[in-house]
Amino acid sequence: MKTYLVTGGAGFIGSNFIHYMFRKYNDTIRIINVDALTYAGNLENLKSVEDRENYTFIKADITDSAAIAEIFDQNDVDYVVHFAAESHVDRSIKSPEVFIKTNVLGTAVMLNCARAAWENADGSYQEGKKFLHVSTDEVYGSLDEDGGYFYETTPYAPHSPYSASKASSDMLVKAYVDTYRFPANITNCSNNYGPYQFPEKLIPLIINNALHGRKLPVYGDGKNVRDWLYVDDHAKGIDMVIEKGRLGETYNIGGHNEKQNIEIIHIILDTLLEMLPEGDERRKLISRDLITYVEDRKGHDRRYAIAPDKIKSEIGWEPETMFKDGIKKTIAWFFEHEDWMANVTSGDYQKYYDDMYQNK
Ligand code: NAD
Ligand code: TYD
């Protein structure tokens, strides 16, 4: 039975990955979820798995090397799946330091502890061990509107403190591969959407605001392009890279689904109106007049677009969910989990929202 040590499993993609893995492998794997439970980590995301005998949650900070070393001491970990990070660009522009601490130092701690646990006396590694570092396409910088894609060979050119910290963490993983022959893969994925996404990110923020008749903030001219991937397709890609990825390699993950932000907002409004039953009070709140152009994000990358050729040809990964279906599934999930949204937007969220949007 393989043991997966998942970091950041209480966040958006990590919790979806854990659900995906238990759906696929059921009782034949073991998952240890290590998460510090920052504002973005939520154990409610994992309610349906918490009683499983093959699931363990450990509250720990990845920058705490003693705590992480102890987890490796007490468990025979086969795979590390490293999601834990500070992940929101706007927060990184306001407060960069925590991004450097968690994303760079935290990754160094994870690499050191995995290496100490897995390396043999002769510098080789125990059979079958792997460190999967989950990263983003934002490390490649920004593309022109009229062409080009991010390949694994595209030079790194991050612009935000978030993407710079993720680029640094990727470089550390590459350095461990080159220096210590450390068994790792890196995946660089495009923007994800789906259940459990925290409503600081574009799609859940627009769904939540529209349902409450609140302004829909569009940064700049609304024509920045992101390449959207349903989160289960990302989980599938990570699982396949763990199984089939060549050690030391990087794989880009994305589904050729580019959309301007303003298009996303119109699709969400159309889909909400299509899905809400006649007579539902919320229909009256939803209006195009809520769309509000606000000051642009500083250093706002214009376009991201992944070329997934390598993961398709080498590993056989392909996305399964078209955007029109994924957005319906996502909205349906938010309809069924109103309590989840109410819980995560109580407490500190309102303060965050006011601070972030008051001058926009
Ligand atoms: P998220 O912000 O929803 O979740 C991050 C999780 O990490 C939370 O559970 C949080 O509690 C935990 N965490 C934060 N700091 C920690 C620390 N010091 N120690 C332990 N746990 C800590 O993020 P997400 O959107 O799920 O992203 C997960 C990973 O995927 C990140 O590495 C991110 O860079 C990458 N990624 C995200 C996207 C996207 O569209 N969201 C796309 C590509 C790659
Ligand atoms: P986001 O979801 O923060 O992801 P990322 O910055 O990592 O791509 O933002 C997606 C796009 O939406 C990005 O171009 C910024 C834009 N955006 C808005 O226009 N308004 C908003 O309120 C937010 C949160 C994002």
Side-chain angles (χ1 to χ4, degrees), residues 205-223:
L205 186 142
I206 296 298
I207 295 172
N208 187 40
N209 281 16
L211 287 170
H212 290 91
R214 294 194 202 115
K215 284 183 183 172
L216 309 176
V218 184
Y219 298 168
D221 65 2
K223 293 187 178 157

Side-chain angles (χ1 to χ4, degrees), residues 52-332:
R52 280 181 163 273
E53 283 184 7
N54 55 344
Y55 170 77
T56 310
F57 172 70
I58 300 173
K59 185 171 188 292
D61 192 311
I62 56 164
T63 64
D64 180 347
S65 51
I68 301 300
E70 196 184 329
I71 295 168
F72 277 95
D73 268 359
Q74 291 178 353
N75 298 279
D76 183 12
V77 173
D78 294 293
Y79 306 124
V80 172
V81 193
H82 179 37
F83 293 98
E86 289 291 334
S87 69
H88 190 40
V89 173
D90 292 327
R91 287 185 193 256
S92 83
I93 293 167
K94 283 216 157 179
S95 315
E97 289 89 346
V98 66
F99 285 72
I100 314 303
K101 186 172 181 223
T102 291
N103 299 2
V104 186
L105 179 62
T107 299
V109 167
M110 291 307 304
L111 290 166
N112 273 337
C113 291
R115 182 179 160 224
W118 294 344
E119 197 176 26
N120 298 316
D122 65 358
S124 65
Y125 288 84
Q126 292 169 27
E127 195 61 32
K129 306 291 185 185
K130 185 181 274 192
F131 189 104
L132 189 298
H133 178 64
V134 180
S135 192
T136 164
D137 60 356
E138 304 193 23
V139 298
Y140 298 120
S142 184
L143 292 164
D144 289 340
E145 261 159 33
D146 50 359
Y149 292 99
F150 295 137
Y151 291 88
E152 288 79 0
T153 49
T154 303
Y156 276 27
H159 295 129
S160 72
Y162 163 65
S163 54
S165 68
K166 290 297 290 187
S168 308
S169 67
D170 293 12
M171 292 298 187
L172 273 175
V173 178
K174 289 173 201 265
Y176 273 61
V177 169
D178 292 344
T179 309
Y180 308 115
R181 307 222 164 278
F182 183 71
N185 285 127
I186 300 173
T187 53
N188 293 93
C189 189
S190 61
N191 286 61
N192 285 214
Y193 68 101
Y196 305 112
Q197 189 166 29
F198 194 77
E200 64 187 353
K201 304 278 168 50
L202 179 70
I203 287 182
L205 186 142
I206 296 298
I207 295 172
N208 187 40
N209 281 16
L211 287 170
H212 290 91
R214 294 194 202 115
K215 284 183 183 172
L216 309 176
V218 184
Y219 298 168
D221 65 2
K223 293 187 178 157
N224 299 64
V225 171
R226 298 292 182 262
D227 185 359
W228 294 95
L229 186 71
Y230 190 64
V231 64
D232 278 356
D233 283 329
H234 187 188
K236 181 175 88 165
I238 290 170
D239 176 39
M240 290 178 80
V241 172
I242 293 169
E243 290 295 312
K244 298 186 190 164
R246 284 183 295 132
L247 289 181
E249 293 293 314
T250 290
Y251 297 91
N252 283 355
I253 308 182
H256 279 307
N257 187 60
E258 293 178 52
K259 297 227 180 304
Q260 292 182 341
N261 295 334
I262 191 68
E263 284 180 76
I264 292 284
I265 293 173
H266 283 294
I267 293 171
I268 291 173
L269 295 177
D270 291 342
T271 314
L272 285 171
L273 289 172
E274 190 187 310
M275 290 175 71
L276 281 172
E278 291 298 330
D280 190 304
E281 286 298 308
R282 290 171 294 182
R283 294 181 72 90
K284 292 187 198 143
L285 300 172
I286 295 168
S287 155
R288 314 268 156 194
D289 296 341
L290 297 173
I291 294 173
T292 310
Y293 286 86
V294 299
E295 185 195 332
D296 207 355
R297 174 186 278 171
K298 292 185 175 64
H300 197 176
D301 287 334
R302 192 63 175 167
R303 173 173 165 256
Y304 302 144
I306 282 277
D309 307 21
K310 181 174 171 183
I311 191 170
K312 275 190 187 171
S313 64
E314 267 192 27
I315 293 186
W317 175 87
E318 273 190 306
E320 285 172 20
T321 309
M322 311 263 290
F323 189 77
K324 67 175 176 45
D325 301 322
I327 198 70
K328 276 193 190 144
K329 283 209 253 186
T330 303
I331 290 174

